[in-house]
Amino acid sequence: MKTRDLVHVALFAAIVAALGLMPPLALPFIPVPITAQTLGVMLAGSSLGARKAGLSLLLFHLLVAAGLPLLAGGNGGLSVYVGPTGGFFVGFLPGAFVIGWLTERAWSRLSVPLAFAINVLGGIGVLYAVGIPWLAVAANLPLAKAALGSLAFLPGDCVKAAVAASVAVTLKRAWPLIQPPRPAGATSAPPSSTPAASPAPSSPRR
Amino acid sequence: MSLGVYLHRDSPLHAVPAGAKMLALLAAGTGLLLFRSLPVVSAALAVTLGLYGLARLRPREVAPVLRLSAFVLGPLFLMQVWLSGWVFALESVLRLAVLLLLATLVSQTTRASDMLESLERAFRPLARFGLSPARLGLLLSLTLRFIPLLATWLREIQEAQRVRGLERNPLAVLVPLLVKTLRTADTLADAIDARCFDPEEPS
């Protein structure tokens, strides 16, 4: 992993945290404001790709578990995990990973509808798949009731997926980070395994 | 921004290593999940309150943390009463309350840095995915430094877009934020490389 990749991992963990600290994003077409943290998860996945997005969210988990109040509403510490909504938070990591993995696969033909489908699958499907059973166990609720309660978040999450999808497609034009999967050995730049005493050998992506 | 919920005291609980406390919390969580009858849960609650006394934390200091959970526990209790009766509701909500209290206790008696260290140890097997301790240290400090900076940028961009009447357009806010972040990442990576940080070093 190059230094650049490490920095990306760190900065996207910071983006997820900063979006949680911020007052909710105001959207034009929905009166309910939307907390932006899961949006950060979707953005990390669709900008960084599976591996870096996964590491990024793992880093975020470490910071929260260590007691830093980085979740929306100033929440943090181990109590986040034992609480009823802990599963949705835990789902951040696999969610971002799945979004990243699918985005890498779809990269060369990424369109807004496709990116939306990917973000729904990873950011809603995976997140809820972890969160709803967790809620059912932690709160002693029947699974169906837990699922029904979570439906309240579905509209907001769909809006977030739509926003993340258009951001992902715009970012693909403005500053692409993901390369489509290529056959092995086709990389042009030599991997920098030597200590970088000279300026960084990697080419800037401009 | 206050970092963390740690409260310093001179108590036996503060002296217990972070890893041991986290394992104990894990064990308590599993135990309470398996034995959730009312007597067991009440006993656990008593023990937990005793631990708070042992840690010399005053109720006044714990209350703000718990106020957040009350918003979840209250409605949940009512829903459980309606769904499956008093006893069951009391059991499940008390169990959750005990777990939240215990987890809060661990967070309040353990420094964030100690917690990070023991988490780092727990995640050491991940080194083969490129997460050696040296890199993890760099990542953690970079992230912590950049959270307030990114929050500032987000505010700045929102202000700039307000001038254009675009502040309600999430695309007009998020794309510049990401591009700015990524451009900074490039500069930062070059700066780190120029100072001879070797990310490949297996330390």
Side-chain angles (χ1 to χ4, degrees):
Chain A
M1 221 182 202
K2 290 184 200 154
T3 309
R4 192 178 307 273
D5 297 328
L6 289 177
V7 175
H8 285 155
V9 167
L11 287 189
F12 269 83
I15 283 191
V16 177
L19 288 177
L21 291 175
M22 278 293 98
L25 216 71
L27 291 175
F29 37 91
I30 280 196
V32 188
I34 290 169
T35 58
Q37 206 132 41
T38 45
L39 180 60
V41 174
M42 295 175 185
L43 291 178
S46 45
S47 326
L48 290 183
R51 199 170 109 103
K52 284 198 271 175
L55 282 177
S56 197
L57 268 300
L58 179 65
L59 186 62
F60 184 68
H61 268 286
L62 282 181
L63 291 170
V64 171
L68 302 180
L70 299 182
L71 283 180
N75 226 338
L78 293 174
S79 58
V80 169
Y81 292 93
V82 300
T85 54
F88 290 100
F89 176 45
V90 169
F92 278 11
L93 205 169
F97 185 86
V98 167
I99 292 173
W101 191 80
L102 292 173
T103 307
E104 280 172 20
R105 295 295 163 296
W107 187 247
S108 51
R109 58 204 152 82
L110 196 72
S111 58
V112 174
L114 188 56
F116 177 71
I118 288 172
N119 277 308
V120 166
L121 205 66
I124 297 179
V126 174
L127 221 66
Y128 285 30
V130 181
I132 290 174
W134 190 298
L135 176 64
V137 171
N140 251 346
L141 283 170
L143 200 60
K145 289 275 187 303
L148 206 63
S150 310
L151 281 185
F153 299 105
L154 202 56
D157 283 342
C158 282
V159 172
K160 277 180 259 182
V163 171
S166 26
V167 171
V169 172
T170 315
L171 198 67
K172 187 195 170 193
R173 282 196 299 267
W175 200 289
L177 279 182
I178 297 174
Q179 270 106 38
R182 275 176 295 190
T187 44
S188 55
S192 65
S193 56
T194 52
S198 56
S202 48
S203 56
R205 300 169 214 270
R206 255 156 236 167
Chain B
M1 181 172 91
S2 74
L3 279 188
V5 286
Y6 174 74
L7 291 169
H8 186 70
R9 289 290 184 291
D10 207 8
S11 89
L13 266 187
H14 285 72
V16 176
K21 273 186 273 195
M22 275 189 273
L23 284 181
L25 179 63
L26 198 67
T30 316
L32 281 171
L33 205 61
L34 294 177
F35 309 100
R36 53 175 76 165
S37 68
L38 204 49
V40 174
V41 176
S42 320
L45 183 63
V47 171
T48 306
L49 293 179
L51 286 176
Y52 268 94
L54 194 64
R56 296 190 200 161
L57 295 170
R58 279 184 291 276
R60 192 166 45 82
E61 298 166 319
V62 186
V65 185
L66 295 180
R67 208 167 298 141
L68 263 160
S69 334
F71 284 111
V72 182
L73 291 186
L76 185 66
F77 181 70
L78 294 177
M79 196 173 158
Q80 293 280 30
V81 170
W82 177 61
L83 273 176
S84 25
W86 281 101
V87 181
F88 190 80
L90 210 56
E91 273 173 17
S92 48
V93 170
L94 270 186
R95 183 174 67 85
L96 214 54
V98 170
L99 278 179
L100 285 168
L101 278 169
L102 275 178
T104 307
L105 182 65
V106 173
S107 298
Q108 286 189 325
T109 58
T110 316
R111 273 197 190 84
S113 54
D114 292 346
M115 200 86 95
L116 274 180
E117 234 168 69
S118 65
L119 284 169
E120 261 181 62
R121 265 199 300 282
F123 281 101
R124 193 135 308 163
L126 284 172
R128 88 183 75 152
F129 295 107
L131 212 67
S132 72
R135 293 179 198 184
L136 197 57
L138 175 74
L139 288 177
L140 289 173
S141 45
L142 271 180
T143 307
L144 286 179
R145 173 66 192 91
F146 269 89
I147 291 166
L149 190 63
L150 279 167
T152 314
W153 287 351
L154 191 54
R155 242 189 331 267
E156 275 174 16
I157 293 169
Q158 274 173 332
E159 260 165 42
Q161 299 295 29
R162 187 166 304 134
V163 175
R164 303 179 176 95
L166 286 175
E167 81 277 8
R168 294 172 76 79
N169 181 349
L171 207 60
V173 175
L174 289 172
V175 170
L177 179 70
L178 289 177
V179 169
K180 193 163 179 161
T181 304
L182 293 171
R183 185 181 300 147
T184 309
D186 277 3
T187 321
L188 205 63
D190 288 344
I192 293 170
D193 280 337
R195 282 161 183 76
C196 301
F197 176 81
D198 183 4
E200 309 285 339
E201 187 178 284
S203 55

